[in-house]
Amino acid sequence: DGGITQSPKYLFRKEGQNVTLSCEQNLNHDAMYWYRQDPGQGLRLIYYSQIVNDFQKGDIAEGYSVSREKKESFPLTVTSAQKNPTAFYLCASSIPGRDGYTFGSGTRLTVV
Amino acid sequence: AQKITQTQPGMFVQEKEAVTLDCTYDTSDPSYGLFWYKQPSSGEMIFLIYQGSYDQQNATEGRYSLNFQKARKSANLVISASQLGDSAMYFCAMREGRGDGGSQGNLIFGKGTKLSVKP
């Protein structure tokens, strides 16, 4: 079945470390997105990519970086510059149309 | 200014009863889409229902219906015959058009409503 796979499900990071969250899709979707979710805040857009080798900053891109070398993959790196990285991270993909986004199951990142 | 407002942080409903989750939105774009997602405690986001700004009829999907009042900029989700499995967070979201009928903007989410279904 087609879908989006995020890994790992849980991730622990020491302060000062960079960590990379994986997002892979086999839906043949052109666009991919990363959202951050904090309690009571809803989902906020970090980065998005409409095509391979191109991506744009969302509302809260500071302290994060992405790459889009393949259509299927859109990894997110949480850098040491992100001061409060503990959150739930959701990856999504889409094609233009009526069905919105397809989401992965998320990665819960905790700074220890 | 908030583009999507969900004024109910939490709601309770008795099993088998209907419940309405409120959503208001703000946009000056005549072309937009409205979405509702369900997020169980496991975390994944499940697409429930879609309403386009030009759709003449209110959207329905099984037990879910969307009460779309364009002039009031409201897109409330109605869940009929609530089930225990409906207990979850519910998010309203909007996707604006670009005005040229072509590419669309990104999804913007409200802060969500936590629905609890009582047996």
Side-chain angles (χ1 to χ4, degrees), chain A residues 11-31:
Chain A
L11 186 57
F12 297 89
R13 188 195 94 169
K14 292 182 179 179
E15 291 205 24
Q17 279 185 339
N18 292 355
V19 290
T20 297
L21 284 59
S22 170
C23 178
E24 304 277 334
Q25 54 105 352
N26 60 3
L27 299 164
N28 201 32
H29 286 174
D30 288 313

Side-chain angles (χ1 to χ4, degrees), chain A residues 96, chain B residues 31 97-105:
Chain B
S31 175
R98 295 291 192 197
D100 59 359
S103 61
Q104 297 168 290

